[in-house]
């Protein structure tokens, strides 16, 4: 049976993956339940899939984690210990990740092969354009959308689902974390 692929993404209520200005990480809304849930998910065996931009962000953050002593992010450390595949035609050099490989091919060719070969679930956090293409090709089994209680109409960046096909979403799990953050897990299917 092929491994499942989860597109995991953080969002403001109005659908942005980030914001400029003084919001900070998690829009300043993280709490102990969110961080414990993330650690639970990323301490379990999985195989990470990244596009080049998201990989650069995560590897830079992990390399400089000691500079951010005020940030308690054990789930990021757990994710950094998971094997990873980076799909990119632009990255060069050694990947700054303990167990990472670089695939210089289209994600639409790489992900089906990884789904067939992997003995653990595949997860991708972020990598918006790559995951939108994988959704259109029917390769995303689950969308894990974590919604933070913020509207970022003026400062929002990276609209998560901009330009995606029409999809029907089957809700397979939902959780309220820290009394304010919604985690919704959907099974997507193209709308016909």
């Amino acid at each position: 049976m092929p491994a499942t692929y989860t597109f995991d993404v953080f969002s403001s209520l109005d659908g942005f993956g980030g914001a400029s200005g003084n919001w900070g990480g998690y829009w300043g809304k993280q709490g102990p339940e969110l961080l414990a849930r993330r650690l639970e998910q990323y301490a379990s065996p999985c195989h990470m899939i990244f596009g080049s931009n998201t990989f650069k962000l995560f590897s830079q953050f992990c390399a400089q984690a000691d500079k951010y002593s005020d940030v308690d992010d054990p789930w990021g450390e757990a994710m950094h210990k998971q094997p990873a595949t980076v799909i990119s035609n632009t990255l060069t050099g050694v990947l700054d990740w303990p167990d990472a490989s670089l695939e210089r091919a289209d994600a639409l060719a790489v992900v089906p092969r990884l789904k067939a070969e992997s003995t653990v679930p595949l997860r991708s956090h972020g990598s918006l354009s790559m995951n939108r293409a994988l959704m259109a090709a029917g390769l995303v089994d689950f969308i894990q959308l974590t919604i933070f209680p913020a509207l970022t109409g003026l400062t929002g960046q990276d609209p998560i689902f901009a330009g995606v096909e029409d999809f029907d979403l089957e809700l397979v799990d939902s959780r309220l974390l820290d009394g304010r953050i919604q985690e919704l897990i959907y099974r997507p299917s193209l709308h016909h």
Side-chain angles (χ1 to χ4, degrees), residues 121-165:
L122 306 176
R123 292 186 69 85
S124 182
H125 183 71
S127 300
L128 300 180
S129 60
M130 178 187 75
N131 280 306
R132 288 190 289 252
L134 293 170
M135 284 177 60
L139 295 170
V140 173
D141 299 294
F142 300 103
I143 300 169
Q144 180 177 327
L145 182 64
T146 305
I147 303 173
F148 291 83
L151 294 173
T152 56
L154 293 177
T155 59
Q157 298 176 329
D158 304 319
I160 296 166
F161 297 110
V164 300
E165 303 278 339

Side-chain angles (χ1 to χ4, degrees), residues 52-103:
S52 61
N53 291 335
T54 300
F55 177 77
K56 285 186 236 178
L57 288 172
F58 277 122
S59 61
Q60 182 180 27
F61 180 78
C62 290
Q64 300 175 354
D66 58 334
K67 292 181 182 178
Y68 303 102
S69 58
D70 59 327
V71 177
D72 182 25
D73 243 345
W75 78 269
E77 295 170 22
M79 179 177 61
H80 193 238
K81 293 175 184 171
Q82 299 290 354
T85 297
V86 182
I87 302 171
S88 173
N89 289 314
T90 59
L91 284 179
T92 58
V94 177
L95 299 178
D96 189 13
W97 201 270
D99 184 10
S101 62
L102 178 62
E103 290 277 351

Side-chain angles (χ1 to χ4, degrees), residues 175-187:
R175 294 170 191 245
L176 179 64
L177 302 166
D178 298 307
R180 62 186 174 273
I181 301 163
Q182 287 286 331
E183 179 190 90
L184 306 170
I185 300 177
Y186 292 103
R187 181 175 290 118

